Each structure stands twice: as structure tokens, then as C-alpha cells.
């Protein structure tokens, strides 16, 4: 349950960050990419929360913070894409750990599907970074 809890908690934080990035991205393609990632995180939160609900355990919530309505760019699209790339890497690692150490039969199957989706999403982000020449030059 600790791995599920961690995945829910980190996806809640990531979802808020990514939706915040989406509303202020300069490039429309990048903004759509971020929105897609927020929806992926939302789906993961919902599906992982079902593991808790099935066992009558309260689903964890985020400690605090909300997405503001600001559209002022906090970082460059390049830096925000790089951050999302890191989120994907951390999520893949966490899900791998959860799969490796889970004693449940249903969890590895669900996390494997998520890992496929996260990998595909990260790959799409890498294509955008390459398209704009941001992949090889990580000077911000």
C-alpha cells in the first residue's frame, strides 16, 4: 500500500504542476502536451485510489496548494518540458519499485500498464524537445 500511496501523492503534485504549466505555456503544442500529462496523472490517481477504496482505506489527498489562474510564464517551455521529463522518469522508477516489491497479483499488472502509458507520454515529450532543438542543449 505504501507504493500506491506514494504514486497517488506524487501524481497529485505532478498533476497540479503540469496543469499549471499547461495554462501558461507559450507554445500551443507544448501546452497540449502538458494537458495530456495532467489527464494521465488524473487517471492514475483515480485508478490507484480504487485500491484504497476496495479495502475501505481513505484515499490520500494533497497537503495543500492549488493551481492559480495566472498565465504568466514562470519558466521557459524548455525548462518546463525538462521538469515533466524528470517527473516521468521518477514515476517510471517508482512504479518499477512498486511492481518489484509488491506481494499483490493485481498491482504489478496495473503499474505495468501505467509504465507503458508514461513511457509513451515521455517519448512524445522527447520528440517535442528534439523538434525544437531543446534535447541536446539543456542550458536554461
Amino acid at each position: 500500500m505504501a507504493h500506491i500511496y506514494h504514486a497517488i501523492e506524487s501524481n497529485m503534485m505532478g498533476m497540479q504542476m503540469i496543469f499549471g504549466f499547461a495554462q501558461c505555456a507559450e507554445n500551443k503544442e507544448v501546452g497540449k502536451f502538458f494537458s495530456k500529462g495532467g489527464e494521465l496523472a488524473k487517471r492514475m490517481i483515480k485508478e490507484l485510489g480504487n485500491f484504497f477504496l476496495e479495502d475501505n482505506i481513505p484515499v490520500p489527498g494533497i497537503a495543500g496548494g492549488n493551481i492559480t489562474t495566472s498565465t504568466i510564464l514562470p519558466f521557459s517551455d524548455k525548462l518546463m518540458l525538462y521538469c515533466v521529463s524528470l517527473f516521468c522518469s521518477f514515476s517510471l522508477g517508482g512504479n518499477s519499485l512498486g511492481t518489484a516489491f509488491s506481494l499483490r497479483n493485481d498491482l504489478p499488472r496495473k503499474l505495468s500498464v501505467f509504465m507503458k502509458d508514461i513511457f509513451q507520454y515521455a517519448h512524445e515529450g522527447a520528440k517535442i524537445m528534439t523538434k525544437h532543438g531543446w534535447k541536446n542543449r539543456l542550458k536554461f
Side-chain angles (χ1 to χ4, degrees), residues 42-101:
K42 189 188 303 185
R43 183 172 57 88
M44 290 175 64
I45 292 164
K46 194 179 290 185
E47 291 185 32
L48 289 170
N50 286 336
F51 284 109
F52 280 86
L53 294 173
E54 289 168 3
D55 292 331
N56 300 317
I57 301 171
V59 179
I62 194 150
N66 291 310
I67 302 169
T68 67
T69 58
S70 175
T71 57
I72 298 171
L73 191 66
F75 310 110
S76 67
D77 286 353
K78 177 181 177 179
L79 180 58
M80 292 188 297
L81 261 172
Y82 181 71
C83 288
V84 171
S85 173
L86 289 176
F87 295 163
C88 290
S89 296
F90 295 149
S91 186
L92 286 170
N95 286 344
S96 297
L97 209 62
T99 299
F101 291 103

Side-chain angles (χ1 to χ4, degrees), residues 4-37:
I4 300 170
Y5 183 93
H6 179 265
I8 292 172
E9 194 173 56
S10 59
N11 274 288
M12 285 181 153
M13 182 64 72
M15 179 185 69
Q16 287 189 327
M17 293 275 296
I18 293 172
F19 278 139
F21 288 168
Q23 74 187 20
C24 63
E26 284 183 318
N27 184 299
K28 296 294 182 202
E29 178 186 24
V30 173
K32 285 181 183 178
F33 172 74
F34 289 149
S35 292
K36 184 177 180 180

